[in-house]
Amino acid sequence: MEKLSKCGKIIVAVWAIALSAVIVIAIIAFAVRPQSEADKRPFGVWWWDNRLDDTYLDFAEENGVNEIYYYTSSFTEKTSDFISKANSKGIKVYWLTGRYQWIEDMSGLTELLDQYSAFQRHGGSTFAGIHFDIEPHQHPQFEERRAELLSDFVNLVRDIRDSHPGEFTEYDIPVWLDDEVTINGATKPVYAHIIDIASRVTLMSYRDSCQSIYDCAEDEIAYAKSVGKRLNLGVETGQSDESGFITFYEEGAQFMYSQLEELKKLVPADFGTAIHHIKSWRELKD
């Protein structure tokens, strides 16, 4: 075989350098963006502050977000505009709302749901569904009335489903709702009742490694799989006083992305992930 000419060697070297550069760029892009274009599983983010500017929406798009849980207590043209902008980026928007007081008194919730329904009928850009963050453990008497409040929580979730049939309703729940309660003659863990009733559940599986996220949510994952329901596994990015293993605040964004990629290998293809929340995620160190 003839030896390459000097010119040929230069061409080969240039191509090798170019190929290496492409590989490096691809690796960097994969590390920065946890959701590839081909990966259509849910990748959501909580959006608690509706005063944030459009650069946060750009950040969400750049990082592969396809669902936003958007908090608002009013339904205005601003809300419709936000949904329209997100939709143009391929992102669904769900109405984020929740108060523990609704467990005992639905009157405030009923009024809000009426406003939501009117907004959904107004003809502009609308929500893809409702993302409820109703946390019974925030009740000041939770420890004394735990069984009662958890039963009331399940009944609330059921009442919302029955009063709004066909509406997509999702619930945030912590990973420790394994108290058994009896509802309509069925005795099972609270998380199982909620998974049965809801369109989908997002677990607040706030841990800082793939394995610990999976381990703390293993029962809920197994139950959801057994009844053919979907889950999102949520992670925290804000600073926390609770414990060093609750949040990715210390480890940073790149480590979090790597753990979320590993997590995908452990759960069904229609299970998603969600990040709490857009502001602290954007401020997270690399």
Side-chain angles (χ1 to χ4, degrees):
M1 186 174 182
E2 293 185 12
K3 292 184 179 180
L4 287 172
S5 67
K6 184 176 180 180
C7 181
K9 289 179 180 179
I10 292 173
I11 292 173
V12 170
V14 170
W15 273 105
I17 293 171
L19 181 59
S20 298
V22 169
I23 293 172
V24 169
I25 291 170
I27 292 172
I28 292 173
F30 179 81
V32 171
R33 178 170 293 203
Q35 183 89 338
S36 71
E37 292 299 326
D39 191 347
K40 298 303 182 183
R41 71 176 73 210
F43 184 50
V45 63
W46 283 267
W47 194 294
W48 285 107
D49 188 348
N50 55 33
R51 300 166 299 178
L52 297 176
D53 62 43
D54 288 350
T55 62
Y56 285 87
L57 197 52
D58 295 337
F59 173 82
E61 179 188 25
E62 290 162 5
N63 284 278
V65 167
N66 54 29
E67 296 185 355
I68 287 174
Y69 317 129
Y70 181 78
Y71 173 78
T72 185
S73 57
S74 61
F75 303 97
T76 64
E77 197 62 37
K78 175 185 174 183
T79 306
S80 186
D81 287 345
F82 178 87
I83 297 172
S84 178
K85 289 176 184 177
N87 290 168
S88 71
K89 297 176 181 292
I91 302 173
K92 296 178 181 179
V93 181
Y94 297 81
W95 175 40
L96 171 60
T97 188
R99 299 183 67 200
Y100 73 83
Q101 291 90 340
W102 295 338
I103 295 172
E104 296 182 294
D105 181 4
M106 275 190 67
S107 58
L109 172 59
T110 300
E111 183 179 345
L112 271 176
L113 286 173
D114 287 344
Q115 294 174 22
Y116 168 82
S117 297
F119 176 80
Q120 294 293 91
R121 295 192 300 267
H122 85 297
S125 298
T126 56
F127 290 104
I130 309 174
H131 188 107
F132 285 106
D133 186 75
I134 303 170
E135 303 185 26
H137 51 282
Q138 291 182 348
H139 194 291
Q141 296 179 321
F142 180 71
E143 290 306 322
E144 303 97 293
R145 300 170 54 201
R146 182 174 180 130
E148 173 193 356
L149 289 170
L150 289 177
S151 293
D152 288 347
F153 175 47
V154 174
N155 284 322
L156 171 63
V157 173
R158 185 194 60 194
D159 289 345
I160 292 172
R161 179 201 62 188
D162 293 346
S163 62
H164 291 76
E167 183 67 63
F168 181 97
T169 53
E170 179 171 23
Y171 291 83
D172 296 332
I173 64 171
V175 290
W176 46 261
L177 282 184
D178 50 6
D179 308 55
E180 291 203 340
V181 299
T182 302
I183 306 292
N184 291 342
T187 301
K188 60 181 70 177
V190 173
Y191 71 78
H193 283 294
I194 303 300
I195 289 172
D196 286 343
I197 300 167
S199 304
R200 189 176 63 187
V201 162
T202 292
L203 287 175
M204 295 184 281
S205 47
Y206 295 163
R207 298 293 186 270
D208 61 0
S209 72
C210 164
Q211 194 60 53
S212 57
I213 294 167
Y214 183 85
D215 289 346
C216 78
E218 191 168 10
D219 290 342
E220 291 87 347
I221 291 170
Y223 184 78
K225 288 170 62 176
S226 73
V227 295
K229 299 299 282 286
R230 296 174 295 156
L231 289 180
N232 281 345
L233 299 173
V235 296
E236 178 63 83
T237 58
Q239 191 170 10
S240 173
D241 296 328
E242 289 185 56
S243 166
F245 59 81
I246 294 295
T247 174
F248 283 100
Y249 177 82
E250 295 88 359
E251 292 84 1
Q254 297 307 319
F255 181 76
M256 178 179 70
Y257 299 155
S258 72
Q259 296 307 293
L260 294 183
E261 286 299 323
E262 289 300 311
L263 187 61
K264 291 177 182 179
K265 302 173 185 177
L266 302 179
V267 298
D270 59 350
F271 280 28
T273 49
I275 295 181
H276 189 268
H277 51 87
I278 187 68
K279 192 172 181 181
S280 58
W281 176 16
R282 189 179 181 187
E283 294 170 355
L284 202 61
K285 67 181 182 181
D286 285 339

